Amino acid sequence: MSIRPADPSSIVRLSIGGKKFSTTVDTLTQREPDSMLAAMFSGRHVVCQDAEKGFVFVDRDGKHFRHILNWLRDGVIPTLSDADYSELLREAEYYQLLGLIDGIHSVVTKKREGDKDELDSELTRTDIIKCIQSEKVRFRGVNLSGLDLSKLDLSYVDFSYACLKSVFFSRANLQCAKFRDVDAEGSIFHNATLRECEFTGANLRGALLAGTNLQSANLQDACLIDCSFCGADLRSAHLQTADLTNANLEGANLEGANLKGAKLSNANLRGANLQRAYLRHVDLRETHLEGAKLDGANLLGAIR
């Protein structure tokens, strides 16, 4: 059965991966009005409801959905372990809850500031700000793990060979920056400008790149396993032989992108724009392509 919710006080019954939740349209739409949940229940879209039990099913793990609902109700970040924060962050990214993403990062950053371990950065955010006043900036091979570099103008900076694990680059301007062979596992780039960046050979496993501008970026040979590119702009990007296993590219724009030799096992390309993309001889048997635009794509020899 299809419904079109409208009344803010209406009760909504959700089944998240089989776990049952009840809330209101108001809760789902007010705090994060630009989120996927707000869009679903804004009244602008029809959602499918189980005719017998009245639940709207969402195919996600429901483990942390109570934290998401509590955030939407109260704006409070829960106290969790690092592993659980990582899982909650991935769910927040899926539902496009940008306020929750920023809140989680703020909590995790403060926690890390109190922990002194072998991954401590060699520089601080203040050091970075002072350095980028120079004409040519290089942080080649430097350990910057865990730093908050959000909203900074880091265009043309050379980070090649650096350790950038769990760095927060959200909304930063990184146009034409160099990330060759960096270790940026778990870093957060959501809504950052990465146009024409070089990520050749980089390790970006588990990184969050939702909403980024990666137009004409070079990601050749990069490890992009478990990365999220939801809604990212990857037009004319170079993804030759990149490993995109389990990557989430739902709704991404890959028009004219080169994916020759890329690994796309269990990659989510639902609703993605792959018009004029180069997919020759790519194995697409385990790739989710429902609703993807493939007009003009080069699929010669692709395995489907």
Side-chain angles (χ1 to χ4, degrees), residues 209-225:
L209 295 119
T212 54
N213 182 348
L214 282 154
Q215 192 172 347
S216 300
N218 187 353
L219 294 137
Q220 189 168 346
D221 297 320
C223 175
L224 304 172
I225 297 171

Side-chain angles (χ1 to χ4, degrees), residues 109-139:
T109 299
K110 289 177 182 177
K111 185 177 179 182
R112 284 175 180 161
E113 286 174 354
D115 296 334
K116 300 298 180 182
D117 56 32
E118 69 277 5
L119 288 178
D120 276 350
S121 171
E122 297 173 43
L123 298 170
T124 66
R125 179 183 172 91
T126 301
D127 293 331
I128 300 296
I129 292 172
K130 290 178 180 177
C131 288
I132 59 178
Q133 310 304 316
S134 305
E135 186 174 338
K136 291 185 179 180
V137 185
R138 295 182 179 179
F139 297 111

Side-chain angles (χ1 to χ4, degrees), residues 175-207:
Q175 182 168 336
C176 296
K178 294 182 179 180
F179 295 91
R180 186 181 183 89
D181 291 313
V182 300
D183 185 355
E185 183 171 346
S187 287
I188 298 173
F189 292 88
H190 86 275
N191 289 342
T193 299
L194 294 159
R195 185 168 179 161
E196 299 179 39
C197 281
E198 181 184 356
F199 284 96
T200 306
N203 175 21
L204 287 159
R205 182 188 288 263

Side-chain angles (χ1 to χ4, degrees), residues 138-242:
R138 295 182 179 179
F139 297 111
R140 294 169 66 94
V142 178
N143 182 1
L144 301 176
S145 297
L147 278 188
D148 180 358
L149 301 180
S150 61
K151 303 177 183 177
L152 295 180
D153 184 356
L154 299 165
S155 52
Y156 297 93
V157 172
D158 188 350
F159 293 99
S160 297
Y161 314 108
C163 183
L164 303 174
K165 286 185 177 180
S166 301
V167 172
F168 192 58
F169 286 111
S170 177
R171 299 184 180 89
N173 179 11
L174 291 152
Q175 182 168 336
C176 296
K178 294 182 179 180
F179 295 91
R180 186 181 183 89
D181 291 313
V182 300
D183 185 355
E185 183 171 346
S187 287
I188 298 173
F189 292 88
H190 86 275
N191 289 342
T193 299
L194 294 159
R195 185 168 179 161
E196 299 179 39
C197 281
E198 181 184 356
F199 284 96
T200 306
N203 175 21
L204 287 159
R205 182 188 288 263
L208 178 60
L209 295 119
T212 54
N213 182 348
L214 282 154
Q215 192 172 347
S216 300
N218 187 353
L219 294 137
Q220 189 168 346
D221 297 320
C223 175
L224 304 172
I225 297 171
D226 294 323
C227 280
S228 176
F229 293 93
C230 285
D233 185 351
L234 287 148
R235 284 176 292 171
S236 302
H238 303 277
L239 291 153
Q240 299 97 307
T241 63

